[in-house]
Amino acid sequence: MDSKHPAGRLPEPPNPIADDGDEAHFCGTCAFSSACIAAGYNKPELAQLQCLVEHVGPFRAGEHIFRTGDPFRAIFAVRSGTVKTRMVDKEGREQVLGFYLPGEVIGLNAIYPEHFPCDAVALDTSFFCRFSFPAMSALASRIPAVQKHLFRLLSKELGSASLLAGDHSADERMAAFLMDLAGRYAARGFSATRFHLSMSRGDIANYLRLAAETVSRVLSRFRSQNLIRIEGRELELLNPDALRQLGQALLPD
Amino acid sequence: MDSKHPAGRLPEPPNPIADDGDEAHFCGTCAFSSACIAAGYNKPELAQLQCLVEHVGPFRAGEHIFRTGDPFRAIFAVRSGTVKTRMVDKEGREQVLGFYLPGEVIGLNAIYPEHFPCDAVALDTSFFCRFSFPAMSALASRIPAVQKHLFRLLSKELGSASLLAGDHSADERMAAFLMDLAGRYAARGFSATRFHLSMSRGDIANYLRLAAETVSRVLSRFRSQNLIRIEGRELELLNPDALRQLGQALLPD
DNA sequence: CCGGCGGGTTGATCCGGATCAAGGCGGACG
DNA sequence: CGTCCGCCTTGATCCGGATCAACCCGCCGG
């Protein structure tokens, strides 16, 4: 009963183009905002960006944005909500590849194989900007700022992939994970010390290559050391410096 | 005493443009060959590709192609030899990020930070094609095939980064590692069943998040099971199917 | 010639985290 | 209402691979 569909209504309205003057609000947290701004809000190029963007959603928790094997046609920027990407091997074992917050982009790893190599599953009710990739490429050829932006997005993701590379203790990985999330929330203007974990302990464990029990134990220990306050999935970082210290081997710089 | 510098001479000749008709031979195994061909050998665009390529080398085993923190100006395609990329944390611990064979490209993860986030170290005497990245970007804007190629390279590397993601046994990781190398050699026209491991057991161990002793033991076991023949760093795969089977959880498809 | 050294192999021991097990909590639904 | 089920927590036990240790080999430099 709200004019701005708050979530939890309208099972998948087509709603291709954004409907409102909320545009600037949405785009402020978007990974493409700088490209859009570089393209110039008042230039005709913006109209072209508008053409290739499609606002999609809502997806409810558990719904797929795309599935392994789907033909690659577009990349998606998270407008709101949270997503995990994962691969499922033929024995049915899941491997979580990453979590994506508002403003971040999923689907880039599908460019080369031309089919999505993983599933993307909403963890929250989520909305997305869908960017047709052929159109995006064509635009990138004409607007260097857009091309540069795409290169940077790809390269950035390469960097973050090597975050989980090393072999490190459960404590180090957990601390690095929390500080990474904190930094990414902060980069989008959210609180860096209080946030909601949209993913289950099991998903965190899988992502960090730990058992769910270990994640639970480490969080309990962090709590007992007054590093964090945690109730269910509500998290507060009480001593970010100590956590950064703990996770430093895994963290940038 | 050979007209085509065989390696091991001329400490770093400037030699900016390829000097010979061997061009096609070199480029046949290069990651950019398809882009070069797409650009058209006879068109004026090729001249532009020539302008932005610089052949560099030789680098001897242990020498750096680039170092962490160096400003990012170019990406490098391996012409011959092998490279490892690695990060060294402030406690001096090394983390090997990957190995690069002839035809593969290093430096893509530096686009976003604009400085190299890792070292690249030659494992063999190696030669490279150095592509000025600003020039490459400019060319990509004008030639869609080049742009597409860069996108695909970036995306491909994203995919391979998630190879080492999962938590798997030492045997699985080792088998997957060997089959991955085999596939990459095969893709460049080398033998898929007999090749030289340019990296030490320690480097393999570090890359796979194992101890060097474990790598040694697993290889010994594989040998005793007649899966491989190995003498020092010379490797022959005697039963690729069994190895693929072993590593399937980690391998594409 | 020797000694040092990096790399590799193999054996013995240890430990961090996986696994097994039991129980708590809260939400969905008959 | 009670039951079920997914998620989380905590305790007990186990095991794969790390670590420690000893040794070999080839290479380099003196």
Side-chain angles (χ1 to χ4, degrees), chain B residues 3-75:
Chain B
S3 66
K4 308 286 183 205
H5 47 248
R9 300 295 304 282
L10 306 174
E12 188 92 25
N15 185 25
I17 298 296
D19 52 351
D20 50 30
D22 241 6
E23 205 53 20
H25 171 63
F26 279 145
C27 296
T29 59
C30 170
F32 282 103
S33 61
S34 67
C36 299
I37 289 163
Y41 268 113
N42 302 315
K43 289 195 195 163
E45 280 85 2
L46 182 58
Q48 299 172 319
L49 249 188
Q50 296 263 356
C51 288
L52 61 85
V53 180
E54 185 184 343
H55 284 190
V56 297
F59 292 82
R60 301 285 198 330
E63 291 181 346
H64 285 68
I65 294 81
F66 51 75
R67 305 183 111 94
T68 303
D70 286 353
F72 172 66
R73 289 193 244 279
I75 57 181

Side-chain angles (χ1 to χ4, degrees), chain B residues 103-217:
Chain B
E104 301 181 334
V105 174
I106 57 177
L108 295 168
N109 57 353
I111 297 172
Y112 169 69
E114 293 180 342
H115 291 265
F116 289 99
C118 59
D119 300 326
V121 182
L123 297 175
D124 280 329
T125 299
S126 305
F127 294 83
F128 301 88
C129 287
R130 180 185 186 280
F131 295 86
S132 154
F133 192 72
M136 194 89 188
S137 297
L139 191 63
S141 289
R142 275 177 294 121
I143 307 179
V146 173
Q147 186 192 79
K148 179 177 179 184
H149 203 75
L150 281 168
F151 286 149
R152 286 167 51 91
L153 274 180
L154 264 313
S155 177
K156 190 175 191 173
E157 185 130 338
L158 268 184
S160 64
S162 56
L163 191 154
L164 80 171
D167 107 288
H168 296 279
S169 73
D171 287 23
E172 287 176 307
R173 284 218 281 277
M174 196 61 176
F177 173 70
L178 297 179
M179 292 311 295
D180 177 57
L181 276 186
R184 286 156 65 193
Y185 275 120
R188 304 303 178 187
F190 298 102
S191 166
T193 54
R194 277 174 146 280
F195 48 88
H196 178 80
L197 298 172
S198 322
M199 65 295 286
S200 70
R201 305 288 193 270
D203 283 337
I204 297 173
N206 187 305
Y207 175 67
L208 297 178
R209 288 181 256 113
L210 298 171
E213 293 91 331
T214 303
V215 166
S216 190
R217 279 187 249 271

